[in-house]
Amino acid sequence: MFQNLSQKAKQDASTSRTTTTSACSKCMDKGGFLTTSSDGYEVWRVCECQEQAKIERLFRASQITPGFQHMGFKNFDLDRPQVVLDAYMAATDYYKAFPEIRRTRQNSIALLGAVGSGKTHLLMAIANNLIKQRIPVMYFPWVEGFNNIKDDLDRLDEKVTKLQHVDVLYIDDLFKGRTTPTAFQLEQLFAIVNFRYLNNLPMLVSSERDIDEISDIDDAIGSRIYEMTRDYNVTLRGEGLNYRLEGRA
């Protein structure tokens, strides 16, 4: 019995040392530290770890999975057809212009068309880079997002409000799945898109449907998305665009 108690005491001490160990060696988890300014005064400096912690919180809130967080412009395959390169240029140009266009009506981007052409990767690269600039982004994959909403209708207003108000909303695979979206989906989507349209809040949109097909489903939604993405709107059509099928006989 005493041997067990001794072992337990050692384990408790080890746990105590682990829990009191500082994650940041620079500020010892205090959020900052005292340093001397150029004029000799002692000043409090916020530690870099606080900025990193904020970025990590934004990634957790974004609903972007760890597997998608590695997607960037540098690891996008540029050995692709010209229309894919056009989409790449649109995405990089949009990201560079974002600070200037953020509050304007044409502040959004849409990459539409072929499956497997890199739409999600490019828009995820924008989203990841914006979060690293401490700009909140919410990722809303069409099918999974609405499944999540329907699973807890008591929180419908809360969830829709978040999608309306977040700084940047990324709608992935818009109108994926069933041939015609449900009346419920269209009603909630219009509430989201219209709010963002009226308040000049940016959206990143991917879909296998082009803007005409989106407008055929709902003209009010399609026309607003088109106006918001007019300056950064690429439709990818053609042969050999699905990178997932490369190498097949």
Side-chain angles (χ1 to χ4, degrees):
M1 181 178 71
F2 290 109
Q3 184 178 7
N4 290 338
L5 289 173
S6 176
Q7 289 175 344
K8 184 178 185 302
K10 291 179 181 178
Q11 290 172 351
D12 290 344
S14 176
T15 302
S16 176
R17 285 194 297 271
T18 300
T19 55
T20 57
T21 299
S22 172
C24 180
S25 60
K26 184 174 289 187
C27 74
M28 306 301 291
D29 293 342
K30 295 178 181 178
F33 49 88
L34 289 172
T35 186
T36 304
S37 65
S38 58
D39 52 7
Y41 288 97
E42 201 170 48
V43 296
W44 180 262
R45 178 181 172 186
V46 176
C47 185
E48 292 88 344
C49 72
Q50 295 303 294
E51 287 299 311
Q52 184 58 37
K54 182 176 181 179
I55 291 171
E56 290 173 0
R57 288 194 297 272
L58 288 175
F59 268 115
R60 287 195 295 272
S62 72
Q63 307 299 316
I64 297 174
T65 61
F68 277 169
Q69 290 177 20
H70 77 281
M71 291 182 174
F73 295 120
K74 291 183 179 179
N75 59 13
F76 185 78
D77 182 10
L78 295 177
D79 186 20
R80 307 290 299 283
Q82 183 59 48
V83 69
V84 177
L85 299 183
D86 293 341
Y88 173 84
M89 290 303 300
T92 54
D93 288 347
Y94 174 82
Y95 174 67
K96 292 173 185 175
F98 185 82
E100 288 74 40
I101 67 174
R102 180 177 181 178
R103 305 299 180 187
T104 70
R105 177 56 54 80
Q106 283 77 45
N107 59 7
S108 303
I109 181 171
L111 301 182
L112 312 171
V115 174
S117 55
K119 304 185 301 293
T120 293
H121 186 133
L122 289 172
L123 295 183
M124 196 61 73
I126 295 172
N128 288 334
N129 278 287
L130 290 177
I131 290 174
K132 291 173 184 177
Q133 296 299 318
R134 296 173 297 285
I135 298 171
V137 177
M138 179 70 72
Y139 177 56
F140 186 78
W142 177 258
V143 175
E144 295 87 343
F146 267 104
N147 286 341
N148 178 266
I149 286 176
K150 289 187 296 182
D151 286 344
D152 191 0
L153 289 175
D154 290 339
R155 297 178 58 203
L156 173 63
D157 291 343
E158 174 192 343
K159 293 178 179 181
V160 169
T161 297
K162 285 183 179 180
L163 296 171
Q164 289 174 324
H165 288 266
V166 68
D167 289 44
V168 180
L169 175 63
Y170 175 9
I171 303 177
D172 195 19
D173 276 331
L174 176 65
F175 294 154
K176 179 79 173 180
R178 52 171 72 230
T179 304
T180 304
T182 66
F184 173 79
Q185 289 175 322
L186 291 176
E187 179 183 356
Q188 304 311 317
L189 179 63
F190 178 78
I192 294 163
V193 171
N194 189 54
F195 183 92
R196 301 189 69 83
Y197 172 84
L198 294 175
N199 291 279
N200 292 343
L201 291 170
M203 294 193 298
L204 319 176
V205 181
S206 80
S207 178
E208 293 171 19
R209 306 173 192 257
D210 62 29
I211 203 66
D212 290 334
E213 293 168 327
I214 293 172
S215 297
D216 286 342
I217 293 172
D218 191 293
D219 188 53
I221 293 171
S223 61
R224 283 164 173 75
I225 290 176
Y226 175 72
E227 186 173 353
M228 295 175 73
T229 65
R230 186 173 61 197
D231 294 342
Y232 301 93
N233 190 308
V234 179
T235 300
L236 298 100
R237 298 292 191 202
E239 298 295 325
L241 298 185
N242 191 342
Y243 73 91
R244 299 187 186 98
L245 299 180
E246 289 179 3
R248 290 186 59 180

